[in-house]
Amino acid sequence: MGIVAGLDSSPDFTRIVVCDADTGAVLRQGYAPHPIEGGARPSDVDPQAWLLSLGEAAGGGLLEGVQAIGVSAQQNALIALDAQGNTVRPAVVGADKRTQVAAADLIDALGGREAWAQAVGCVPQAAQPVTKLRWLNKTEPDNALRTADLMQAHDWLVWQLLGRPVRRTTDRGGASGTGYWSAATGGYRTDLVELALGHQVMLPEVIGPSEAAGTTPEGLLISAGTGETMAAAFGLGIGLGDAVVSLGASGSVMAVHPEALVDSSGMITSLADATGLHLPVVTTLNAVRTLRGAAEMLGLNDLESLSELAMKSTPGSHGLVLLPYLEGERTPNLPHTAGTLSGLRRESMKPEHLARAAFEGMLCGLADALDVLRGRGVEVRRVFLLGAAAELPAVQAAAPALFGAQVAVPQPADYAAIGAARQAAWALGTSQGTLDPRTPPMWQGAAAQILEPGDELAVGQAVRQQFVSVREQTYPGAFR
């Protein structure tokens, strides 16, 4: 089939991989940071910065011979366009405190969390485009009135690559994160756009996973594109029975499922994936920030030292249990709580036990999130563990038994860009009649270190029970 490219436009940079369309083998790579001034990541960004870094990353003939391109991009970037297709203001990206009031306003305006969960499978959060529309309406009413068309980052980049055609497209994955498209029904809720922005606008056409958005004048096929989360899942090669646990400052747990999950509590965000299936996601506010706090408390300079110390303790941390709700928590929904350290006895008051309790508390919090999905019938046989902290020995020693599943720690790679390239290969094969539009190309999955619960499973489940008992005692019925 030839060669294809995938580009990932993240909040800070563009990465491009060029792959063999049949096997997925990475042939060449490009990288360029976005030309954004200042040290801190801004909340408002001129989308032209993404195009500039794309051009730089693709320099030196990187795309020579490429037949199709897929685009992955940061999620939740809202690009408001006027009737002529020009940006009304810089793109609103990421999550910041500006939009928190708007999120609460929207939840109330529709009648509460359950009403939103039923409508679009998620409850408005500060980062989501629907919330940013409400913020725009309330704080920049003139810009809100000029807004005639809405896009996200990957939609806009695809549109630019195609030469700004009349037809504007997106995919299920990207649309499912907006807060105004339902993964369950596969349709937009234009009434929610109007509720947020105050009037109706044009929205991009949602095309299928293997469809092409179009072809450039030079004959380069551009696939549908998708959000970074969906592209990374596709690049990893996860399928039914797989879950992905991401260890950032906060944590997230997502799994592949054949149907959309409507969760009246709002703990599950019902996203669509890049293949036609679904990606229910549960997030925790506290993951690696728990470890960093513990390291600081113990006077340690890095997480490697914390891990080394924790390995001197034993499973269960001599009875110490840390409920890691340092920033409040979303799973369970306890927004105004603080962390709790329980089980202090003279023999447990040692640095290594506190270090171990920090790791176990973080992982048990993520196991709670996994159990939210399992409780809704999601099958979890294997857990992909992502993030730098996944390499720590204390994490790898405890995770399989606490999660009750095989754990795979993938080798570092540009999985979002690889997923975008795989989507491009699918669209190319479908257009040539060599691939089934319902079956993606069979690329080799991520190379990973495999960790089994083995004989430690019973011990891990006892540690989990210890954590659950303290949580139930401290916050009775938190998961009801």
Side-chain angles (χ1 to χ4, degrees):
M1 262 167 60
I3 59 173
V4 294
L7 73 88
D8 175 36
S9 180
S10 84
D12 299 310
F13 53 76
T14 299
R15 283 195 197 279
I16 301 177
V17 296
V18 176
C19 300
D20 180 286
D22 293 312
T23 65
V26 176
L27 307 174
R28 10 184 224 273
Q29 303 181 57
Y31 166 86
H34 298 320
I36 295 167
E37 293 175 11
R41 185 185 287 176
S43 300
D44 295 316
V45 175
D46 182 349
Q48 293 296 329
W50 308 332
L51 279 183
L52 289 168
S53 71
L54 193 165
E56 191 180 334
L62 184 80
L63 298 180
E64 203 171 312
V66 166
Q67 295 167 273
I69 292 181
V71 177
S72 151
Q74 60 178 303
Q75 285 155 247
N76 297 321
L78 177 73
I79 302 153
L81 304 174
D82 63 18
Q84 287 71 48
N86 301 313
T87 51
V88 167
R89 67 179 315 286
V92 191
V93 299
D96 60 67
K97 291 190 166 65
R98 293 184 299 178
T99 51
Q100 285 176 346
V101 172
D105 278 354
L106 275 179
I107 292 168
D108 290 344
L110 195 66
R113 297 169 65 85
E114 187 168 351
W116 277 96
Q118 294 288 345
V120 286
C122 61
V123 178
Q125 297 151 31
Q128 279 184 302
V130 72
T131 302
K132 288 166 178 169
L133 288 178
R134 181 72 159 196
W135 173 83
L136 192 67
N137 187 15
K138 295 296 181 186
T139 59
E140 300 179 7
D142 291 346
N143 284 337
L145 277 173
R146 287 174 56 216
T147 299
D149 200 341
L150 298 178
M151 286 191 179
Q152 293 188 88
H154 86 264
D155 311 336
W156 188 84
L157 285 166
V158 164
W159 186 56
Q160 297 292 328
L161 288 171
L162 290 171
R164 296 164 58 107
V166 173
R167 183 191 189 213
R168 295 160 194 195
T169 62
T170 189
D171 87 306
R172 297 168 67 254
S176 66
T178 59
Y180 45 80
W181 186 87
S182 165
T185 65
Y188 281 115
R189 286 288 302 262
T190 54
D191 57 318
L192 300 182
V193 175
E194 189 166 353
L195 179 70
L197 187 63
H199 62 92
Q200 293 288 351
V201 291
M202 288 279 291
L203 298 168
E205 177 190 346
V206 181
I207 62 176
S210 62
E211 287 184 64
T215 307
T216 68
E218 300 78 31
L220 192 63
L221 185 135
I222 310 292
S223 65
T226 195
E228 231 170 4
T229 298
M230 299 77 190
F234 199 36
L236 278 167
I238 69 169
L240 292 170
D242 290 332
V244 177
V245 173
S246 296
L247 300 177
S250 54
S252 71
V253 176
M254 67 178 177
V256 181
H257 198 55
E259 57 193 33
L261 295 178
V262 174
D263 173 42
S264 59
S265 73
M267 274 192 286
I268 298 174
T269 297
S270 197
L271 298 179
D273 79 345
T275 73
L277 296 172
H278 295 268
L279 279 179
V281 180
V282 181
T283 55
T284 68
L285 293 182
N286 302 279
V288 176
R289 67 163 40 97
T290 307
L291 304 183
R292 296 206 183 284
E296 204 171 302
M297 197 172 172
L298 291 165
L300 302 172
N301 294 325
D302 52 48
L303 297 186
E304 287 74 19
S305 302
L306 185 72
S307 172
E308 197 178 320
L309 185 61
M311 294 298 282
K312 293 176 182 172
S313 180
T314 52
S317 313
H318 271 245
L320 274 192
V321 175
L322 177 65
L323 300 183
Y325 308 149
L326 309 182
E327 298 285 319
E329 191 45 84
R330 279 191 61 194
T331 308
N333 185 31
L334 298 167
H336 307 299
T337 54
T340 303
L341 186 62
S342 174
L344 282 171
R345 293 186 176 83
R346 179 63 194 90
E347 63 272 18
S348 64
M349 295 175 76
K350 291 182 178 173
E352 60 267 31
H353 302 323
L354 176 58
R356 178 94 188 192
F359 282 97
E360 290 178 345
M362 174 188 78
L363 291 169
C364 283
L366 291 160
D368 277 349
L370 267 173
D371 284 349
V372 169
L373 294 177
R374 284 175 167 137
R376 292 296 306 276
V378 177
E379 188 180 9
V380 179
R381 292 192 304 269
R382 177 173 59 167
V383 174
F384 283 86
L385 201 53
L386 305 186
E391 302 287 341
L392 296 171
V395 169
Q396 296 192 2
L402 292 177
F403 292 161
Q406 183 190 80
V407 169
V409 183
Q411 290 179 1
D414 300 322
Y415 290 111
I418 291 167
R422 190 179 176 202
Q423 188 194 64
W426 195 5
L428 180 65
T430 298
S431 74
Q432 295 174 340
T434 56
L435 283 179
D436 185 333
R438 294 160 301 183
T439 309
M442 296 303 293
W443 284 13
Q444 191 170 347
Q449 180 183 0
I450 303 298
L451 309 167
E452 298 283 0
D455 296 339
E456 296 297 311
L457 183 59
V459 175
Q461 294 311 292
V463 174
R464 273 281 288 136
Q465 191 51 52
Q466 178 178 268
F467 178 90
V468 169
S469 297
V470 172
R471 189 196 68 222
E472 275 299 302
Q473 203 174 345
T474 314
Y475 302 107
F479 275 103
R480 274 185 212 140

